[in-house]
Amino acid sequence: MTNRADAQSFDRIAQEYERLHELQGDNLGKWLPELLSAGGRRALDLGCGTGKHTLVLAERFAHVDAVDLSGPMIDLAQAKRARDNITYRQADLLNVGDMGHYDLVLSVATLHHVPDLRAALHHIETLVAPGGRAVLVDTVSPRPANPRWWLYGGAVRKLLRNLVRRNQAQAWEIFRLSTGAWLDHRVSDRYLSREQFERIYREVFPTARFRNVGPHAMIWDAPETADPAPRS
Protein backbone atom coordinates (compact mmCIF):
# COMPACT_ATOMS: atom_id res chain seq x y z
CA MET A 1 0.00 0.00 0.00
CA THR A 2 1.21 3.52 -0.81
CA ASN A 3 1.79 5.51 2.38
CA ARG A 4 0.76 9.14 2.65
CA ALA A 5 4.30 10.53 2.40
CA ASP A 6 4.88 8.66 -0.87
CA ALA A 7 1.49 9.65 -2.26
CA GLN A 8 2.05 13.30 -1.37
CA SER A 9 5.34 13.40 -3.27
CA PHE A 10 5.17 14.87 -6.76
CA ASP A 11 8.46 13.22 -7.77
CA ARG A 12 6.91 10.16 -9.38
CA ILE A 13 3.94 11.95 -10.97
CA ALA A 14 5.57 15.12 -12.30
CA GLN A 15 5.14 14.23 -15.99
CA GLU A 16 1.56 13.02 -15.50
CA TYR A 17 0.69 16.11 -13.47
CA GLU A 18 2.06 18.40 -16.16
CA ARG A 19 0.23 16.60 -18.98
CA LEU A 20 -3.08 16.48 -17.08
CA HIS A 21 -2.98 20.20 -16.41
CA GLU A 22 -2.04 20.91 -20.02
CA LEU A 23 -5.15 19.05 -21.14
CA GLN A 24 -7.51 20.52 -18.54
CA GLY A 25 -6.24 24.10 -18.64
CA ASP A 26 -5.47 26.40 -15.75
CA ASN A 27 -8.37 28.45 -14.42
CA LEU A 28 -6.12 30.11 -11.82
CA GLY A 29 -4.31 32.06 -14.52
CA LYS A 30 -7.56 33.83 -15.37
CA TRP A 31 -8.01 35.50 -12.00
CA LEU A 32 -4.53 35.45 -10.53
CA PRO A 33 -3.39 38.74 -12.15
CA GLU A 34 -6.26 40.51 -10.36
CA LEU A 35 -4.87 39.50 -6.96
CA LEU A 36 -1.26 40.46 -7.60
CA SER A 37 0.27 43.81 -6.88
CA ALA A 38 1.17 45.98 -9.86
CA GLY A 39 4.77 44.80 -9.81
CA GLY A 40 8.08 45.39 -8.13
CA ARG A 41 11.62 44.19 -7.73
CA ARG A 42 11.37 40.64 -6.42
CA ALA A 43 8.65 38.02 -6.16
CA LEU A 44 8.64 34.52 -4.69
CA ASP A 45 6.61 31.52 -5.84
CA LEU A 46 6.44 28.92 -3.05
CA GLY A 47 5.54 25.46 -4.32
CA CYS A 48 6.01 26.58 -7.91
CA GLY A 49 5.47 23.15 -9.44
CA THR A 50 6.25 23.28 -13.15
CA GLY A 51 6.25 27.08 -13.23
CA LYS A 52 2.88 28.06 -14.69
CA HIS A 53 2.20 30.76 -12.13
CA THR A 54 5.85 31.73 -12.00
CA LEU A 55 5.51 33.00 -15.57
CA VAL A 56 2.68 35.31 -14.50
CA LEU A 57 4.95 36.79 -11.84
CA ALA A 58 7.84 37.14 -14.28
CA GLU A 59 5.74 39.49 -16.40
CA ARG A 60 5.37 41.92 -13.47
CA PHE A 61 8.51 41.63 -11.37
CA ALA A 62 12.15 42.29 -12.15
CA HIS A 63 13.14 38.92 -10.68
CA VAL A 64 11.25 35.85 -9.47
CA ASP A 65 12.57 33.14 -7.15
CA ALA A 66 10.59 29.92 -7.54
CA VAL A 67 11.02 26.97 -5.18
CA ASP A 68 9.51 23.53 -4.94
CA LEU A 69 10.29 20.49 -2.82
CA SER A 70 10.12 18.16 -5.84
CA GLY A 71 13.26 17.94 -7.97
CA PRO A 72 11.42 16.49 -11.01
CA MET A 73 8.93 19.37 -10.90
CA ILE A 74 11.77 21.89 -10.84
CA ASP A 75 13.44 20.07 -13.74
CA LEU A 76 10.24 20.39 -15.79
CA ALA A 77 9.90 24.07 -14.89
CA GLN A 78 13.46 24.79 -16.01
CA ALA A 79 13.00 22.83 -19.23
CA LYS A 80 9.63 24.31 -20.22
CA ARG A 81 9.35 27.71 -18.54
CA ALA A 82 12.82 29.17 -18.16
CA ARG A 83 13.17 32.96 -18.30
CA ASP A 84 16.15 35.24 -17.74
CA ASN A 85 14.45 36.78 -14.70
CA ILE A 86 13.43 33.49 -13.02
CA THR A 87 15.57 31.40 -10.68
CA TYR A 88 14.16 27.92 -10.03
CA ARG A 89 15.41 26.05 -6.97
CA GLN A 90 14.59 22.79 -5.23
CA ALA A 91 13.97 23.67 -1.58
CA ASP A 92 11.59 23.36 1.33
CA LEU A 93 9.64 26.59 1.72
CA LEU A 94 10.76 26.80 5.37
CA ASN A 95 14.35 27.01 4.14
CA VAL A 96 13.71 30.15 2.12
CA GLY A 97 15.24 32.69 4.45
CA ASP A 98 15.34 36.06 2.69
CA MET A 99 13.46 37.96 5.38
CA GLY A 100 11.61 41.08 4.26
CA HIS A 101 12.97 40.55 0.77
CA TYR A 102 9.94 40.08 -1.47
CA ASP A 103 7.38 42.53 -2.79
CA LEU A 104 5.10 39.58 -3.55
CA VAL A 105 4.96 36.10 -2.07
CA LEU A 106 2.66 33.65 -3.85
CA SER A 107 1.68 30.12 -2.91
CA VAL A 108 -0.92 28.11 -4.85
CA ALA A 109 -2.22 24.65 -3.83
CA THR A 110 0.82 23.97 -1.64
CA LEU A 111 0.15 24.75 1.99
CA HIS A 112 -2.23 21.84 2.62
CA HIS A 113 0.84 19.62 2.17
CA VAL A 114 2.97 21.17 4.92
CA PRO A 115 3.14 19.32 8.27
CA ASP A 116 2.90 22.50 10.38
CA LEU A 117 0.69 25.07 8.68
CA ARG A 118 0.98 27.75 11.36
CA ALA A 119 4.79 27.58 11.29
CA ALA A 120 4.71 27.91 7.50
CA LEU A 121 2.39 30.92 7.66
CA HIS A 122 4.55 32.68 10.27
CA HIS A 123 7.60 32.06 8.09
CA ILE A 124 5.88 33.42 4.98
CA GLU A 125 4.97 36.58 6.88
CA THR A 126 8.67 37.24 7.53
CA LEU A 127 9.49 37.01 3.82
CA VAL A 128 7.22 39.87 2.73
CA ALA A 129 8.84 43.29 2.43
CA PRO A 130 7.21 46.34 4.07
CA GLY A 131 4.37 47.38 1.78
CA GLY A 132 4.52 44.03 -0.03
CA ARG A 133 1.77 41.47 -0.51
CA ALA A 134 1.20 37.78 0.21
CA VAL A 135 -1.27 35.84 -1.93
CA LEU A 136 -1.90 32.36 -0.52
CA VAL A 137 -4.32 30.12 -2.37
CA ASP A 138 -5.42 26.62 -1.45
CA THR A 139 -8.22 24.11 -1.77
CA VAL A 140 -10.88 24.11 0.93
CA SER A 141 -13.48 21.41 1.47
CA PRO A 142 -16.29 20.64 3.91
CA ARG A 143 -14.68 17.21 4.39
CA PRO A 144 -11.03 16.88 5.47
CA ALA A 145 -10.33 14.04 3.03
CA ASN A 146 -11.96 12.70 -0.12
CA PRO A 147 -12.63 8.95 -0.33
CA ARG A 148 -11.35 7.05 -3.34
CA TRP A 149 -14.82 6.04 -4.55
CA TRP A 150 -15.94 9.68 -4.58
CA LEU A 151 -12.90 10.86 -6.55
CA TYR A 152 -13.16 7.95 -8.98
CA GLY A 153 -16.85 8.69 -9.51
CA GLY A 154 -15.95 12.30 -10.27
CA ALA A 155 -13.44 11.14 -12.87
CA VAL A 156 -16.11 8.95 -14.50
CA ARG A 157 -18.56 11.87 -14.63
CA LYS A 158 -15.88 14.08 -16.14
CA LEU A 159 -15.13 11.39 -18.74
CA LEU A 160 -18.76 11.34 -19.82
CA ARG A 161 -18.79 15.13 -20.18
CA ASN A 162 -15.48 15.16 -22.04
CA LEU A 163 -16.63 12.50 -24.49
CA VAL A 164 -19.24 15.03 -25.59
CA ARG A 165 -17.12 18.19 -25.41
CA ARG A 166 -13.71 16.90 -26.57
CA ASN A 167 -12.27 14.38 -28.95
CA GLN A 168 -12.34 10.83 -27.60
CA ALA A 169 -8.55 10.45 -27.37
CA GLN A 170 -8.24 13.48 -25.08
CA ALA A 171 -11.23 12.44 -22.98
CA TRP A 172 -9.76 9.00 -22.33
CA GLU A 173 -6.28 10.39 -21.67
CA ILE A 174 -7.66 12.75 -19.01
CA PHE A 175 -9.51 9.83 -17.43
CA ARG A 176 -6.40 7.64 -17.43
CA LEU A 177 -4.26 10.35 -15.86
CA SER A 178 -6.96 11.22 -13.31
CA THR A 179 -7.36 7.65 -12.07
CA GLY A 180 -3.70 6.61 -11.84
CA ALA A 181 -1.04 7.85 -9.44
CA TRP A 182 -2.73 11.26 -9.33
CA LEU A 183 -5.76 9.63 -7.70
CA ASP A 184 -3.49 8.15 -4.99
CA HIS A 185 -2.15 11.65 -4.39
CA ARG A 186 -5.61 13.22 -4.14
CA VAL A 187 -6.85 10.57 -1.73
CA SER A 188 -3.92 11.43 0.54
CA ASP A 189 -4.69 15.16 0.56
CA ARG A 190 -6.05 16.72 3.75
CA TYR A 191 -8.04 19.95 3.57
CA LEU A 192 -9.36 22.66 5.82
CA SER A 193 -12.93 23.86 5.63
CA ARG A 194 -13.38 27.44 4.48
CA GLU A 195 -14.10 28.52 8.06
CA GLN A 196 -10.96 26.79 9.38
CA PHE A 197 -8.88 28.30 6.58
CA GLU A 198 -9.95 31.84 7.37
CA ARG A 199 -9.59 31.40 11.13
CA ILE A 200 -6.07 29.93 10.98
CA TYR A 201 -4.77 32.30 8.34
CA ARG A 202 -6.20 35.30 10.17
CA GLU A 203 -4.33 34.27 13.32
CA VAL A 204 -1.10 35.12 11.49
CA PHE A 205 -2.43 37.77 9.09
CA PRO A 206 -5.11 39.67 11.08
CA THR A 207 -5.79 42.21 8.31
CA ALA A 208 -6.09 39.62 5.55
CA ARG A 209 -8.84 39.63 2.95
CA PHE A 210 -10.34 36.44 1.54
CA ARG A 211 -11.78 35.62 -1.84
CA ASN A 212 -13.43 32.52 -3.22
CA VAL A 213 -11.91 31.79 -6.63
CA GLY A 214 -12.78 28.08 -6.79
CA PRO A 215 -10.03 27.38 -4.29
CA HIS A 216 -9.83 29.94 -1.48
CA ALA A 217 -7.47 32.90 -1.60
CA MET A 218 -5.98 35.02 1.17
CA ILE A 219 -4.61 38.45 0.26
CA TRP A 220 -2.53 40.27 2.85
CA ASP A 221 -0.81 43.62 2.43
CA ALA A 222 2.11 44.14 4.79
CA PRO A 223 2.39 47.47 6.61
CA GLU A 224 4.55 50.05 4.88
CA THR A 225 6.98 50.01 7.83
CA ALA A 226 8.20 46.91 9.61
CA ASP A 227 6.83 46.20 13.08
CA PRO A 228 9.71 46.82 15.51
CA ALA A 229 8.18 44.40 18.07
CA PRO A 230 7.56 41.01 16.50
CA ARG A 231 4.47 39.16 17.64
CA SER A 232 4.97 36.16 19.90
Side-chain angles (χ1 to χ4, degrees), residues 10 12-24 26 28 47-53 68 73 76 81 108-110 113 177 182 185:
F10 282 89
R12 66 191 182 96
I13 60 170
Q15 294 284 350
E16 291 85 350
Y17 173 89
E18 173 69 5
R19 177 58 179 161
L20 180 60
H21 284 73
E22 284 178 353
L23 289 168
Q24 295 188 138
D26 179 16
L28 295 179
C48 65
T50 59
K52 295 182 181 68
H53 304 124
D68 199 280
M73 298 288 269
L76 274 173
R81 298 180 178 90
V108 177
T110 295
H113 294 293
L177 293 169
W182 180 237
H185 176 95

Side-chain angles (χ1 to χ4, degrees), residues 27-154:
N27 292 327
L28 295 179
K30 297 177 181 179
W31 56 258
L32 182 58
E34 301 175 15
L35 303 186
L36 302 180
S37 51
R41 295 177 299 108
R42 298 188 73 90
L44 174 64
D45 188 356
L46 293 172
C48 65
T50 59
K52 295 182 181 68
H53 304 124
T54 310
L55 291 184
V56 178
L57 301 184
E59 294 174 355
R60 293 171 176 246
F61 293 86
H63 190 84
V64 182
D65 291 326
V67 301
D68 199 280
L69 193 59
S70 171
M73 298 288 269
I74 288 293
D75 290 342
L76 274 173
Q78 291 174 327
K80 303 189 72 168
R81 298 180 178 90
R83 296 291 187 275
D84 289 342
N85 66 330
I86 298 175
T87 299
Y88 290 108
R89 179 163 63 96
Q90 182 183 2
D92 188 306
L93 65 86
L94 289 175
N95 292 331
V96 178
D98 295 326
M99 296 179 63
H101 192 62
Y102 295 101
D103 299 311
L104 188 285
V105 176
L106 173 70
S107 177
V108 177
T110 295
L111 293 174
H112 68 273
H113 294 293
V114 302
D116 188 337
L117 176 58
R118 287 177 175 83
L121 295 176
H122 279 290
H123 182 65
I124 290 169
E125 181 192 23
T126 71
L127 302 176
V128 184
R133 174 172 290 184
V135 176
L136 309 180
V137 184
D138 213 342
T139 302
V140 294
S141 174
R143 57 164 68 98
N146 293 316
R148 182 177 296 274
W149 64 264
W150 189 87
L151 293 171
Y152 192 89

